[in-house]
Amino acid sequence: MCRWLAYSGAPVLLDTILYKPEHSLIDQSLHARMGVETTNGDGFGVGWYGPHMETPAVVREIGPAWSDRNLREIAAHVRSSLFFAHIRASTGSAVQQTNCHPFRHGRWMWMHNGAIDEFHLSRRELALAVDPSLYPYIEGSTDSEMMFFLALTLGLEDDPPGAVARMVGMIERTGHDHGVEYPLQMTVAVTDGRRLWAFRYSSQGASRSLYYSTRVETLRALHPDLAFLRNMSEDARLIVSEPLGGLPGAWNKVPESSYGVVQPGEDALLPFVPQPA
Amino acid sequence: MCRWLAYSGAPVLLDTILYKPEHSLIDQSLHARMGVETTNGDGFGVGWYGPHMETPAVVREIGPAWSDRNLREIAAHVRSSLFFAHIRASTGSAVQQTNCHPFRHGRWMWMHNGAIDEFHLSRRELALAVDPSLYPYIEGSTDSEMMFFLALTLGLEDDPPGAVARMVGMIERTGHDHGVEYPLQMTVAVTDGRRLWAFRYSSQGASRSLYYSTRVETLRALHPDLAFLRNMSEDARLIVSEPLGGLPGAWNKVPESSYGVVQPGEDALLPFVPQPA
Amino acid sequence: MCRWLAYSGAPVLLDTILYKPEHSLIDQSLHARMGVETTNGDGFGVGWYGPHMETPAVVREIGPAWSDRNLREIAAHVRSSLFFAHIRASTGSAVQQTNCHPFRHGRWMWMHNGAIDEFHLSRRELALAVDPSLYPYIEGSTDSEMMFFLALTLGLEDDPPGAVARMVGMIERTGHDHGVEYPLQMTVAVTDGRRLWAFRYSSQGASRSLYYSTRVETLRALHPDLAFLRNMSEDARLIVSEPLGGLPGAWNKVPESSYGVVQPGEDALLPFVPQPA
Amino acid sequence: MCRWLAYSGAPVLLDTILYKPEHSLIDQSLHARMGVETTNGDGFGVGWYGPHMETPAVVREIGPAWSDRNLREIAAHVRSSLFFAHIRASTGSAVQQTNCHPFRHGRWMWMHNGAIDEFHLSRRELALAVDPSLYPYIEGSTDSEMMFFLALTLGLEDDPPGAVARMVGMIERTGHDHGVEYPLQMTVAVTDGRRLWAFRYSSQGASRSLYYSTRVETLRALHPDLAFLRNMSEDARLIVSEPLGGLPGAWNKVPESSYGVVQPGEDALLPFVPQPA
């Protein structure tokens, strides 16, 4: 469907992560290995927090990432300590900027890989469940944006894991009401610019792939010669749809039905259980 | 806001109408005279019916019409006896194909100039009023597309003038509920490929300009030297946001709160009165 | 690199050929089997001759063909008895309309799969060899467009096979002067709207794939149930970078260093030998 | 034709200059007052130098600046002490990224407003005059990019004013050879990231408008309440096609046939005289 990555750590040029690794996200736009499709060419987006900026910059385009010169320029000149990047493979909804990830609301960013199964059946009901004060901010037509607005409605800004659990609960209930067996498939990343949460879940228990990077310290000891590691800080953490390279020891599967938190201090990896909304 | 034109008559190359007149729609994309903005550069669309085709072709793009080479190619090579063309000046909603006119549903096409005032206040309520079976077909975020789906919900395919009157009634009631004094401003064209209806109405009674062409026979007598008239059939009829040239006698204002029908046999011009939905 | 197809026969809706076959050109834009790359997502073009039109319409876009709604609209509504379609995989030159195929000059169209090896070394010299009266019409930066303008310079309009042979000769000589071992790799299609020539050649004698379709009559006998054949005329002929499906007996390799002519009367398949320019 | 601005001074968010002034460049994209056209909607570009970066980032797009969300994002999040911005009104050449300004070569940036008159007559000759080692870097089809590569050929990196004078001399001689009375119209900005040169010249002595800003110190004294001045450093200097507002005392015409240098220490304003190349 799609591929994404999230980075948190000391400020790096975006291209250190986006372009330079052997199997970078840009390479994945043409040659994804673990996705449903090898090609993710239906638009892309990158969102980054800069110094002294509460709100992230979000740049989204409808063409493929692999040939986009502006993305290359931005990546080669912008540094950030927390950024998201996403490449899209549409499952039918229009190829337009408002359907590209990451989505932003205030200082929050959201991106998704997966799908609400038979979204056309539940779209209207889910739209009604969005808080009326948030409703006018929906600009696109994707299930992913709807999930974001439902999570915002259900308390994302106060309790991200709880809000995502309730969002999933609502989508599953709505899907089941329409006779959909496995209503949801998702890996989701969300951040407020300070902490970063990543979720892996599917109704069927067969979720899209999701990996987090091993601690940089450990990796450097294992692989002192790897270029892109040299520019990374000790607290650097990557969460990715698929590994950026074949480096032994570098990547760890996020288990089924779990979520991780990347934050000042210790990171955490916890079970994820949908809740009734 | 926007500019549009609708043509019905013997088959002509689209560029006869779109490019060749002195103040053509393409010229209006840069130099509109009667609109709120002189520039209409936020996307465009053209929709045409071909021979043996129930459903129209609809080509929409997000760039300005004036520089679009593909539009020029299509216009120079496609003939049609019934087509719509629209150039957009966004009032804030995203510049994306799904927000470009004309909109299509089955064999129906719809285009609009104007706005639902304070659309963000009523958007959710209006979306809920759309028939659930039609709701999944909403792809964009404009008031114009919403008006189309409300009209479809309210019987457009059986009784176009009645459905549009009920759609307007619903929008006005919803707007008034939100304290909006003049909820709607519109000129609308709609067709099923056989007949063509054009509406001019605004809650304030100060509607966007709309003109219909004088009978070709009469015009030819007045102006035997005018190139674009020579290619037009006797039954050719144009409805336009603003005249395509300064030709004396060629253009007639559609009166406030009226609508016209272009159809086999006699055309008609009738009063338009919103109705409760 | 790229994939293309050329159709000649009774008028058909473009989508009969472009979309409906099992392994259509649109499918090849995501899943090419015989090309250097599986993805051909760096723009596309379609050019067609219509009735009473000397000059073909050429529509080109910079996004991928697979998601382009306008291409789908045009293909579903335009009929032609002679058309070209091309999907591009850039080898580095900019993704822009003027680099998309087919190229047009007057009533001639040209498309290419392959490359001038080390084009940056010979580009200036080749540009100088273009007739000064043609030079201002060069709009893009590809080797493919340069090949077209060289062929035009060398007599394409009077003697297509001879002009292409001289063009190849010139490119090989220039490449060799710069120490390039195998200067050219090409399959080329060219037409004036009446006849259609297709060339397969490479300096190395290991050319990109090229196929022509078996006579429709023969194919129908073999496969009476194949949908897209039913709409084809007896004189329908397709030339394609790779077969549009796995139909036994349907596709024939154009041999190395040969060219074919599709024309009123008997088609021909002849050897191709570069000539000094 | 086009509008541009160049900023040099303490680092500012780009939008301080690009969006916030009353008659900002973005406003000029729709409502230019001093240009040949009021609309400059045929693409835009922004190029900026960042800290620790020799080479500028250059982001260019083919749509209008006024509706471009990515430009707004970048402008609201990127700070620079030296940047160029340009909005384009094409005089016929293709609307594509490689025709958008600024152009870049190594650490040099170039942008232009104006035209080589009858460029099609001299384009080939001028292309031949470009140094063969630079020739392969020409990507677009504009006179503006050709001027840049001629200036590079004629010594831009060592002596910018001299190289520009020779470039103009060459264009005028070539034009005159083709019977063109007034071969060149230009305002040009060029920078290496340290110094900034701006030229105003035309063969006819009737050049496009060009202004430089009054010293910030002086302006602040005159207008203590002006928001966008508050964020500007003492050494901030703007050079613009037309004033960003009607502030009395803020803007000074660059005289006919002159050029300015913005540099560490004293800026300079000097006469410009074409030289034989």
Side-chain angles (χ1 to χ4, degrees), chain A residues 62-64, chain C residues 40-44 61-68 95 100:
Chain A
I62 60 175
Chain C
N40 294 277
D42 299 325
F44 65 86
E61 263 307 338
I62 61 175
W66 67 75
S67 60
D68 199 88
V95 178
C100 292

Side-chain angles (χ1 to χ4, degrees), chain C residues 62 92-99 120-121 123-125 127-132 135-141 146, chain D residues 62 92-99 120-121 123-125 127-132 135-141 146:
Chain C
I62 61 175
S93 55
V95 178
Q96 56 192 26
Q97 278 180 320
T98 57
N99 283 351
H120 63 285
L121 296 178
R123 186 179 162 204
R124 185 172 176 274
E125 247 166 289
L128 299 196
V130 171
D131 190 280
Y135 187 91
Y137 296 101
I138 299 177
E139 284 201 300
S141 57
M146 187 73 80
Chain D
I62 60 176
S93 53
V95 177
Q96 56 192 27
Q97 279 180 318
T98 57
N99 284 350
H120 63 284
L121 296 179
R123 186 180 161 203
R124 185 172 176 273
E125 248 167 290
L128 299 197
V130 171
D131 189 281
Y135 187 91
Y137 296 100
I138 300 178
E139 285 202 300
S141 57
M146 188 71 81

Side-chain angles (χ1 to χ4, degrees), chain B residues 4 13 15 35 47 70 79 81 94 100 118 124 127 170 175 191 198 204 221 267:
Chain B
W4 58 254
L13 279 177
D15 70 0
N70 291 336
R79 284 170 203 281
S81 58
C100 291
E118 307 278 357
R124 185 172 177 274
M170 177 181 287
T191 181
Q204 195 176 1
D267 296 347

Side-chain angles (χ1 to χ4, degrees), chain C residues 204-224:
Chain C
Q204 194 176 2
S207 302
R208 300 274 183 274
S209 59
L210 192 65
Y211 293 81
Y212 64 94
S213 60
T214 301
R215 286 168 50 101
V216 170
E217 195 173 19
T218 312
L219 277 177
R220 282 192 189 134
L222 283 167
H223 308 281

Side-chain angles (χ1 to χ4, degrees), chain C residues 97-274:
Chain C
Q97 278 180 320
T98 57
N99 283 351
C100 292
H101 310 223
F103 302 98
R104 176 182 58 195
H105 187 76
R107 58 194 175 84
W108 290 79
M109 283 204 297
W110 175 276
M111 60 184 171
H112 169 229
N113 172 28
I116 297 179
D117 193 32
E118 307 280 357
F119 180 48
H120 63 285
L121 296 178
S122 57
R123 186 179 162 204
R124 185 172 176 274
E125 247 166 289
L126 297 175
L128 299 196
V130 171
D131 190 280
S133 71
L134 291 168
Y135 187 91
Y137 296 101
I138 299 177
E139 284 201 300
S141 57
T142 59
D143 48 5
S144 307
E145 187 191 24
M146 187 73 80
M147 289 163 68
F148 182 29
F149 277 92
L150 288 171
L152 285 164
T153 298
L154 298 167
L156 183 69
E157 290 163 292
D158 296 320
D159 169 20
V164 171
R166 288 184 290 274
M167 177 270 286
V168 171
M170 176 181 286
I171 286 168
E172 293 196 320
R173 196 197 63 223
T174 309
H176 291 149
D177 289 351
H178 287 284
V180 179
E181 190 174 5
Y182 302 121
L184 186 61
Q185 173 64 258
M186 76 175 204
T187 66
V188 159
V190 60
T191 182
D192 62 355
R194 291 181 183 84
R195 289 189 294 171
L196 159 60
W197 296 262
F199 300 83
R200 181 172 184 232
Y201 177 79
S202 59
S203 308
Q204 194 176 2
S207 302
R208 300 274 183 274
S209 59
L210 192 65
Y211 293 81
Y212 64 94
S213 60
T214 301
R215 286 168 50 101
V216 170
E217 195 173 19
T218 312
L219 277 177
R220 282 192 189 134
L222 283 167
H223 308 281
D225 55 336
L226 202 66
F228 82 93
L229 285 174
R230 259 172 256 146
N231 298 317
M232 296 176 99
S233 58
E234 303 264 318
D235 63 344
R237 184 75 85 182
L238 276 162
I239 305 177
V240 300
S241 292
E242 62 184 71
L244 307 186
L247 195 66
W251 303 101
N252 315 279
K253 265 194 196 177
V254 175
E256 272 292 347
S257 302
S258 344
Y259 73 97
V261 195
V262 180
Q263 56 195 350
E266 278 298 290
D267 295 348
L269 187 58
L270 299 157
F272 176 79
V273 184

